[in-house]
Amino acid sequence: MGQALITIIGFSAGFLIAGGVVSVMVGLGILTRFIGLTHTARQILWYEDAILLGGVCGAVVTVFEFEAAVGVWLLATAGLFIGVFVGGWILALAELVDLFPVYSRRFGITKGAGWFVATLAAGKTVGSFLYFAGHLGG
């Protein structure tokens, strides 16, 4: 009886959290931005399936401990996709709080806003590589 109650509570909490995450993604416009930039509105069902599959895989990896020999290329590809996803979240949040217009006015940036964003992304990428390279070698 105790295990069943814990299972029901766990699934209920998972559904609530998943609903909240999707609501935030929709509210921030992350999905519509990705779909608009890639001109893939016809594949909306694929997006929905990918979000569901990502949530399920993330839950399984988080809850169950297991080791899998997947190889460096699959690991690097997964890291790239995860980085793009997290970067999309960061840019959506920054856009939501009007971070770029504030910095542009504050620093007097009138031209080259695209370069400004690109250098932020490059700095984040280089910082991540340096962080992970330092911890992988030692």
Side-chain angles (χ1 to χ4, degrees):
M1 179 67 182
Q3 291 287 0
L5 181 62
I6 290 173
T7 302
I8 291 170
I9 291 171
F11 274 112
S12 299
F15 280 121
L16 287 173
I17 291 170
V21 169
V22 172
S23 296
V24 169
M25 289 174 68
V26 170
L28 291 176
I30 295 173
L31 298 177
T32 54
R33 173 73 62 146
F34 284 154
I35 291 169
L37 289 174
T38 58
H39 306 292
T40 54
R42 292 183 181 167
Q43 286 80 22
I44 190 70
L45 295 176
W46 287 98
Y47 279 97
E48 292 173 357
D49 292 342
I51 291 168
L52 178 66
L53 184 62
V56 169
C57 290
V60 167
V61 169
T62 302
V63 172
F64 301 107
E65 293 182 22
F66 61 92
E67 292 183 23
V70 294
V72 69
W73 289 108
L74 184 61
L75 187 61
T77 304
L80 176 68
F81 285 136
I82 292 167
V84 167
F85 182 74
V86 171
W89 272 87
I90 291 169
L91 287 175
L93 285 170
E95 191 172 303
L96 182 71
V97 296
D98 293 330
L99 181 72
F100 297 119
V102 170
Y103 276 137
S104 295
R105 274 183 273 139
R106 199 54 69 101
F107 294 123
I109 299 171
T110 57
K111 294 182 181 178
W115 285 103
F116 181 68
V117 173
T119 55
L120 287 174
K124 178 70 176 163
T125 302
V126 169
S128 296
F129 280 135
L130 292 174
Y131 173 79
F132 288 114
H135 289 286
L136 288 177

